[in-house]
Amino acid sequence: MKGDTEQLARLLGYRFREPGLLVRALTHRSIPGENNERLEFLGDALLGLVIAEALWNRFPDADEGRLSRLRASLVKRESLAALARGLDLGDYLRLGTGELRSGGHARDSILADALEAVLAAVYLDGGLAAAREVILSVFAASLERLQTASTLKDAKTRLQERVQARKHPLPEYQVLQITGSDHDRHFQVRCTLPASGQETRGEGSSRRRAEQQAAEQMLDLFAVHNDT
């Protein structure tokens, strides 16, 4: 572990009134005494709230399901570990001998938990406003990528390009239901990926809108699972 955590605090853009909180956030349970497990628990909830709020503001037309999937893609272990590496968090971790020997400083689970603990330490030291500012700074590029991807091309085009890049058959769309009067139609559409059998559904006042919503939800599945 690097002796001076001030460099990490500068990367976070936050000055701790109680530096011991940051040290505890960087202390793995393999070290006797206080560790970062309780802070990680608090940081997980804190991160979920702030990211949910950010997505709510950035995607005013997204429904609950899509917002949930977007949040999951941002706060999953691999995403948090990548952000932790960007902060060189592994260099500051306090690990027991066994974890040091096994390369714990580079393990996704340890890095992700430590990042959540660090964010919780900011919250306990400076309050919600300070924690929100740090979180939005750390996640700024990730949030921007989500928003850029959502605005450059429509969802059906992006989904088609995604599956073509994997040399998979194109998505299939099927109208499941049309309800309402001639002047107030409501469409329900299913989107299917033949290669995997994955299905999503969309609804809207036109077939196109319903297909776009179904395609958007399928793209969210890509973001969460990374397995298609």
Side-chain angles (χ1 to χ4, degrees), residues 53-179:
E53 180 186 52
L55 293 171
W56 169 274
N57 291 328
R58 284 172 178 258
F59 299 94
D61 297 325
D63 61 18
E64 182 271 342
R66 186 182 175 216
L67 289 172
S68 295
R69 289 186 290 273
L70 289 173
R71 180 178 59 184
S73 73
L74 289 174
V75 302
K76 64 183 180 181
R77 176 183 295 177
E78 295 82 3
S79 299
L80 295 182
L83 292 173
R85 291 188 180 94
L87 295 167
D88 293 325
L89 206 60
D91 293 343
Y92 297 91
L93 293 176
R94 299 179 70 232
L95 301 170
T97 303
E99 289 293 349
L100 282 172
R101 288 175 178 170
S102 64
H105 66 283
R107 191 172 303 136
D108 278 4
S109 58
I110 291 179
L111 286 170
D113 289 350
L115 179 59
E116 290 178 334
V118 166
L119 297 175
V122 173
Y123 168 72
L124 291 175
D125 190 76
L128 181 57
R132 180 186 287 110
E133 184 175 347
V134 171
I135 291 170
L136 293 180
S137 174
V138 170
F139 281 81
S142 300
L143 286 165
E144 186 61 32
R145 280 194 296 271
L146 281 184
Q147 192 153 19
T148 299
S150 295
T151 57
L152 286 179
K153 297 178 181 178
D154 66 70
K156 286 183 66 177
T157 300
R158 287 184 282 126
L159 179 59
Q160 179 174 315
E161 290 177 348
R162 189 74 69 91
V163 298
Q164 284 179 323
R166 289 161 173 75
K167 302 186 185 305
H168 290 171
L170 293 178
E172 297 175 353
Y173 297 90
Q174 179 184 4
V175 176
L176 299 177
Q177 189 177 46
I178 304 174
T179 57

Side-chain angles (χ1 to χ4, degrees), residues 1-23 25-26 84 86-89 91-92 115 118-119 121-122 125 130 133-135 137-138:
M1 175 184 174
K2 291 182 178 178
D4 182 16
T5 57
E6 280 295 318
Q7 183 177 347
L8 175 59
R10 285 193 292 272
L11 286 173
L12 293 170
Y14 180 77
R15 185 176 184 84
F16 281 85
R17 290 189 287 266
E18 295 183 39
L21 279 170
L22 180 56
V23 173
L26 297 166
L87 295 167
D88 293 325
L89 206 60
D91 293 343
Y92 297 91
L115 179 59
V118 166
L119 297 175
V122 173
D125 190 76
E133 184 175 347
V134 171
I135 291 170
S137 174
V138 170

Side-chain angles (χ1 to χ4, degrees), residues 12 21 43 50 76 78 99 103-104 117 120 193 203 205 208 210 213:
L12 293 170
L21 279 170
V50 175
K76 64 183 180 181
E78 295 82 3
E99 289 293 349
L193 294 186
E203 299 183 20
S205 58
R208 181 183 181 281
Q213 186 183 94

